[in-house]
Amino acid sequence: MIKTVSVPPVLKKMNGFFERAGFEAYLVGGAVRDMLRGKNASDWDIATNARPEQVQALFRRVIPTGIEHGTLTVIFMGHHIEVTTFRSEHGYSDGRRPDEVSYETSIEQDLSRRDFTMNAVAVNLSTGQLCDPFGGKKDIRSKIIRTVGKAEDRFAEDGLRPVRAIRFASTLHFTIERDTLAAIPSSLDNIRHVSIERFRDEFIKIITGEKPSYGLKLLEQTGVLNLFIPELCACRNVTQDDGRGFHRFDVLDHLFYACDHAQCRGRTESDRSAGTEHIAEDCSIKDCGGHSSTGNPSESRLPIIRLAALFHDIGKPRVRSEEIRGNDARITFYSHEKESARMCTAILERLRFPAKTVRYVSHLVEQHMFHYESSWTDAAVRRFMARVSPPAGLGTLEQTIADLFDLRIADVSGMTNSSALLHSGPWSANLIEFRDRIQKELNNKNAVGLKDLAVSGTDLITAGIPAGKTLGRLLQELLQTVLDDPACNTKEKLLEIAKRKME
């Protein structure tokens, strides 16, 4: 049985400052939990009996990040380390933050205020010895999430804690202990007071985990999902299977499983290694937890792909109808992609995602129903590329097409809850052929948008064409001409065509 852990050298050196001044210091929180799970931990939180002013006197570089609650950030050997004085908390009138904080003298008192037993284990930085008054080590080993003390009390103090319990269960692959789980539905009145931004941050962590459906189903089961995203709950029991074999699940399970299978895998190796950081910045993915900790740019796409997969069919309940064809009843969802995009925009705006993220994800949702046939002409391929081009300022066409292919793979996978690989299955040859034809057009650098035309609005005005709606329509007509015949994309030819159209 583990009784001590190895203290990282940086923390040993930092502890020397506390020790020489006569203070105790403990590593606490998620880092301890991860160490006990055999994982590396570099995001360190320290609890100490030193008061904030005493911590400030010990270290040269200190930021008062939460000094009103006894928390400072110490910059030590290049690390930002949160240091908090032992404390207890009293009164939670807003269901989120303590009304009063009192400093305490022992680590046991400090651990007693924490949310879950797995987060209430401390490591003495002098000895490496564990302090585990609530059996957190055993719960970690058993993969159990249990509150410190009575679940109803812990959840009444902070409405975010039930959501965090679900997030931890989902991302750590743990099980929520029975009484802790049962206390979540009775805490909904408190949960509804959680700020939308805090819920959004937990939500993003859930959907970017290894198996989002686990956490999403817990959110649904406990009533939390209905508080924040009732549109998803409306998808439950909306059937899709009419005997044609396209869908095995109702709309909600299909969305959950599509989210599970959404990965950044529908692109070529060159797509994986180039051009993704630009779009990641453009879409403000970093603002919703999207940058990869491993530095792999493809992983930075994951939140975008997962959001699009989760909401791509959310409009289906509103457009569902049945048609009788001969002796068969057919379920239809005409224009569901447009309704889904509209709803996706409203949901992501409500959850206060960055504006660029909202616009880009909704664009993917609206364009996800593409259908390619080998009989398409090259012009038809270019028209598709023009149609799915991202709105201005939202990145490159290459990245958008790669994201749409990833979304298609997730959609197909979500129909049966089995991984649909790009190079397997009867549907994949069609998608690969389409991708290759698109790549050929990209390599040829043929025009697919107004910005690609050899003439601009200024050129047309200089040629005597008045500004206004007529100019805009003319540019669109010139684009259609170039999509049909790329050889026309020269300044001379386009000006000639423009003047002819204005006669």
Side-chain angles (χ1 to χ4, degrees):
M1 184 178 294
I2 300 173
K3 294 183 179 180
T4 62
V5 298
S6 177
V7 176
V10 172
L11 295 183
K12 281 186 177 180
K13 190 166 185 178
M14 185 177 183
N15 181 60
F17 289 84
F18 288 105
E19 218 171 27
R20 287 189 291 274
F23 298 117
E24 298 176 1
Y26 291 82
L27 181 64
V28 294
V32 179
R33 180 189 69 237
D34 289 343
M35 291 167 72
L36 292 175
R37 294 174 58 234
K39 307 292 183 181
N40 292 327
S42 57
D43 186 12
W44 297 317
D45 295 318
I46 289 176
T48 178
N49 59 346
R51 297 293 182 98
E53 63 274 12
Q54 293 169 320
V55 175
Q56 286 178 309
L58 287 176
F59 299 97
R60 194 158 46 90
R61 301 179 65 192
V62 179
I63 305 170
T65 45
I67 196 167
E68 69 277 10
H69 294 123
T71 299
L72 304 165
T73 298
V74 176
I75 302 175
F76 187 82
M77 295 180 65
H79 297 270
H80 286 62
I81 302 170
E82 278 202 358
V83 178
T84 303
T85 302
F86 296 159
R87 71 187 192 201
S88 57
E89 300 171 346
H90 313 281
Y92 296 81
S93 57
D94 68 353
R96 179 69 187 96
R97 293 169 293 271
D99 298 325
E100 182 184 348
V101 171
S102 300
Y103 294 137
E104 300 293 351
T105 58
S106 74
I107 184 62
E108 290 80 7
Q109 290 170 303
D110 183 82
L111 294 176
S112 69
R113 69 176 175 83
R114 298 181 181 268
D115 50 7
F116 307 111
T117 59
M118 64 180 184
N119 295 331
V121 185
V123 176
N124 187 307
L125 293 183
S126 295
T127 64
Q129 191 166 9
L130 291 175
C131 178
D132 181 20
F134 302 103
K137 183 176 59 176
K138 179 181 177 183
D139 283 344
I140 292 170
R141 188 167 61 247
S142 301
K143 298 186 176 183
I144 295 291
I145 296 172
R146 187 194 317 270
T147 54
V148 173
K150 196 174 180 182
E152 290 84 353
D153 295 340
R154 295 288 80 78
F155 293 163
E157 293 167 352
D158 183 351
L160 187 63
R161 284 174 174 169
V163 184
R164 279 168 53 84
I166 292 170
R167 187 257 292 180
F168 282 130
S170 183
T171 57
L172 300 178
H173 311 293
F174 279 24
T175 300
I176 302 177
E177 180 266 335
R178 184 183 59 185
D179 291 341
T180 301
L181 181 62
I184 296 179
S186 60
S187 304
L188 291 178
D189 283 343
N190 206 33
I191 298 171
R192 73 174 69 249
H193 296 302
V194 170
S195 75
I196 201 71
E197 294 88 351
R198 287 187 173 272
F199 172 79
R200 177 202 62 207
D201 292 345
E202 297 296 324
F203 176 69
I204 278 294
K205 291 174 184 176
I206 289 171
I207 69 167
T208 53
E210 185 178 334
K211 189 177 181 182
S213 63
Y214 179 41
L216 290 167
K217 287 184 178 182
L218 282 174
L219 288 174
E220 181 196 10
Q221 172 190 338
T222 56
V224 176
L225 190 64
N226 196 50
L227 284 182
F228 294 97
I229 316 178
E231 298 92 335
L232 275 174
C233 294
C235 295
R236 177 59 74 206
N237 297 321
V238 178
T239 57
Q240 304 182 88
D241 183 9
D242 58 8
R244 286 180 288 172
F246 296 144
H247 282 277
R248 183 180 299 175
F249 307 106
D250 69 7
V251 174
L252 187 58
D253 277 340
H254 169 63
L255 293 176
F256 286 172
Y257 297 140
C259 190
D260 277 353
H261 293 283
Q263 303 290 341
C264 301
R265 58 189 173 187
R267 58 206 72 206
T268 64
E269 286 306 312
S270 60
D271 291 328
R272 292 181 183 278
S273 60
T276 55
E277 284 304 320
H278 172 67
I279 183 65
E281 294 292 339
D282 279 350
C283 282
S284 300
I285 295 177
K286 64 179 185 297
D287 294 332
C288 62
H291 276 298
S292 165
S293 60
T294 66
N296 182 340
S298 286
E299 291 181 18
S300 69
R301 307 297 306 162
L302 188 58
I304 290 296
I305 303 301
R306 290 276 172 89
L307 286 169
L310 183 61
F311 295 126
H312 76 279
D313 282 350
I314 199 167
K316 279 187 171 180
R318 297 188 181 182
V319 301
R320 185 184 187 278
S321 63
E322 294 188 13
E323 296 178 350
I324 303 299
R325 298 185 182 180
N327 295 323
D328 296 328
R330 294 286 178 87
I331 298 172
T332 63
F333 300 98
Y334 293 131
S335 297
H336 76 271
E337 67 276 14
K338 295 185 183 298
E339 181 65 16
S340 295
R342 189 191 67 76
M343 293 174 66
C344 178
T345 296
I347 293 167
L348 295 183
E349 285 179 345
R350 187 172 72 237
L351 295 179
R352 298 185 184 173
F353 278 87
K356 287 186 177 181
T357 300
V358 175
R359 290 172 62 206
Y360 186 73
V361 173
S362 299
H363 177 69
L364 293 180
V365 170
E366 186 169 9
Q367 300 299 334
H368 83 273
M369 284 294 292
F370 63 87
H371 175 72
Y372 165 76
E373 294 180 358
S374 295
S375 59
W376 279 21
T377 63
D378 290 343
V381 173
R382 290 190 291 271
R383 290 183 190 281
F384 168 82
M385 295 166 67
R387 175 168 64 82
V388 303
S389 291
L394 296 188
T396 65
L397 173 60
E398 293 92 330
Q399 186 63 66
T400 302
I401 289 172
D403 288 341
L404 280 171
F405 273 56
D406 287 332
L407 180 55
R408 169 57 58 86
I409 295 168
D411 190 2
V412 173
S413 300
M415 293 177 182
T416 59
N417 192 21
S418 58
S419 183
L421 301 178
L422 185 55
H423 294 282
S424 67
W427 64 279
S428 66
N430 175 272
L431 200 61
I432 292 170
E433 178 185 304
F434 191 24
R435 184 192 65 184
D436 291 343
R437 291 189 65 183
I438 290 171
Q439 190 61 51
K440 179 182 176 182
E441 295 298 328
L442 290 171
N443 292 342
N444 291 336
K445 301 188 184 302
N446 289 324
V448 294
L450 293 178
K451 67 181 185 304
D452 303 322
L453 291 178
V455 295
S456 65
T458 301
D459 294 325
L460 295 181
I461 292 172
T462 301
I465 297 170
K469 291 183 179 179
T470 299
L471 181 68
R473 284 196 296 269
L474 184 54
L475 282 169
Q476 287 295 337
E477 289 178 19
L478 292 177
L479 175 60
Q480 295 306 313
T481 298
V482 169
L483 289 173
D484 284 332
D485 183 3
C488 291
N489 195 25
T490 68
K491 188 171 184 178
E492 287 182 1
K493 286 187 178 181
L494 291 180
L495 285 175
E496 179 186 341
I497 294 168
K499 290 175 182 178
R500 207 163 49 236
K501 286 179 176 289
M502 293 300 293
E503 291 176 352

